[in-house]
Amino acid sequence: MMPARVATGQAASSLLVRPKQASRSCVRPGLRRPVVVVRAGANDASAGLSTRLPARVITGVAWASLVGYAVGFAPKGSEALDMELVSSLIASPYSGEVNYLFESIFNSFAIIPAVYAALLMPGAKDQKPVPAQPFVVGSWALGYFVLGPYLALREIREEPVERSSLGFLTRNVLEAKWNAALLLAFATFLAYSAASHFSPEVLADYRNLLSTQALVSVSSADLATLSLMVYFPMVEDMRRRGWEDKTALAAAFTAVPVVGPSLYLLVRPSLEE
């Protein structure tokens, strides 16, 4: 994590639960077709809460655990060496000068926040109790340290939205298949770079950095948390797009860090105009 990166509450909207009644047809004067009125029952409300409350609790606990690790358990190491590592990563991002494994981890922070943005922004309009944009933008610098509180506090929105109702950037970039293809290509390149240069020596060097340097240990923990917690926004996004019967696939996409979520963006259904 770069220096800027090194440097949970109310969430659900109120639910009006009415006594459960069977669906009934009401014929209004002057209408030739019956209008079907469906009333939500207590069981429907309970089902909604059962899928939303655990997501908030888990994402909140994950954030608290990450902060606790960074503050109390991560190695302090040398700030000067951390700065030197950052300089090398910026100057020669894929050279292996630092470590091939950590170079792939570090550069994944250009991908995973974009994946989160593509998952969260379609449901970001008039978010309560906090707006989405500051947290989503901040995740590019501070990862889950910024994004975690938003995931724990926000309203979970699984209702379909029209693409035309989205903001310009969300509609034309985050929803675009070319954007998903670029993210997937970069993620695949990073995975290939790490795999093709893997060796016992590279692994031992990474483990040494992991146990001695704050930049490496906290960045690795941050990416691991982001990669696990992406499951919940992905399931929400699937339901928003009519993939209620395919939400089990979210675990498969999540199981392949960075590459899997990027692939999901490429294959997910487009929103209706």
Side-chain angles (χ1 to χ4, degrees):
M1 224 164 28
M2 298 175 63
R5 297 171 45 78
V6 179
T8 324
Q10 170 189 350
S13 56
S14 59
L15 298 173
L16 298 178
V17 181
R18 300 181 180 180
K20 186 174 183 180
Q21 297 181 8
S23 301
R24 59 189 179 88
S25 298
C26 304
V27 181
R28 300 177 181 174
L31 293 179
R32 301 174 66 180
R33 296 173 57 189
V35 177
V36 178
V37 179
V38 180
R39 300 185 184 276
N43 291 338
D44 300 319
S46 298
L49 286 174
S50 67
T51 59
R52 298 177 182 187
L53 183 59
R56 293 196 178 91
V57 172
I58 293 171
T59 52
V61 169
W63 176 80
S65 300
L66 179 63
V67 172
Y69 171 75
V71 173
F73 298 95
K76 304 307 177 185
S78 165
E79 288 190 21
L81 181 54
D82 276 349
M83 293 299 295
E84 183 179 334
L85 291 175
V86 170
S87 299
S88 297
L89 288 164
I90 294 174
S92 305
Y94 318 113
S95 66
E97 182 178 339
V98 174
N99 177 273
Y100 281 112
L101 296 180
F102 183 62
E103 285 174 359
S104 292
I105 290 172
F106 185 84
N107 285 291
S108 293
F109 286 104
I111 300 173
I112 200 70
V115 171
Y116 270 95
L119 295 174
L120 294 172
M121 291 308 294
K125 186 176 181 180
D126 299 325
Q127 261 290 351
K128 298 176 182 177
V130 290
Q133 289 82 352
F135 296 91
V136 172
V137 172
S139 67
W140 262 278
L142 293 169
Y144 201 79
F145 289 95
V146 167
L147 200 59
Y150 174 69
L151 293 179
L153 293 171
R154 71 193 178 99
E155 292 180 345
I156 296 178
R157 296 177 175 176
E158 300 172 345
E159 300 79 11
V161 296
E162 294 180 350
R163 184 167 179 165
S164 58
S165 69
L166 304 177
F168 178 85
L169 184 63
T170 303
R171 183 174 67 251
N172 295 291
V173 178
L174 299 179
E175 284 291 317
K177 293 303 181 183
W178 62 261
N179 177 63
L182 288 176
L183 293 174
L184 179 58
F186 189 27
T188 304
F189 166 76
L190 294 179
Y192 172 78
S193 176
S196 62
H197 293 99
F198 183 84
S199 68
E201 292 76 16
V202 170
L203 178 60
D205 183 48
Y206 170 70
R207 293 177 66 178
N208 178 60
L209 290 170
L210 189 67
S211 63
T212 59
Q213 289 304 124
L215 174 69
V216 179
S217 62
V218 177
S219 293
S220 299
D222 191 6
L223 183 64
T225 307
L226 285 165
S227 298
L228 289 171
M229 294 302 106
V230 76
Y231 171 83
F232 298 104
M234 190 184 298
V235 168
E236 176 186 344
D237 190 71
M238 286 180 166
R239 290 172 176 163
R240 184 185 298 126
R241 296 166 193 272
W243 267 16
E244 294 90 347
D245 59 336
K246 294 182 173 64
T247 54
L249 291 175
F253 286 117
T254 304
V256 186
V258 187
V259 174
S262 300
L263 176 61
Y264 168 72
L265 296 185
L266 187 63
V267 301
R268 67 179 179 174
S270 299
L271 295 173
E272 294 185 2
E273 293 291 340

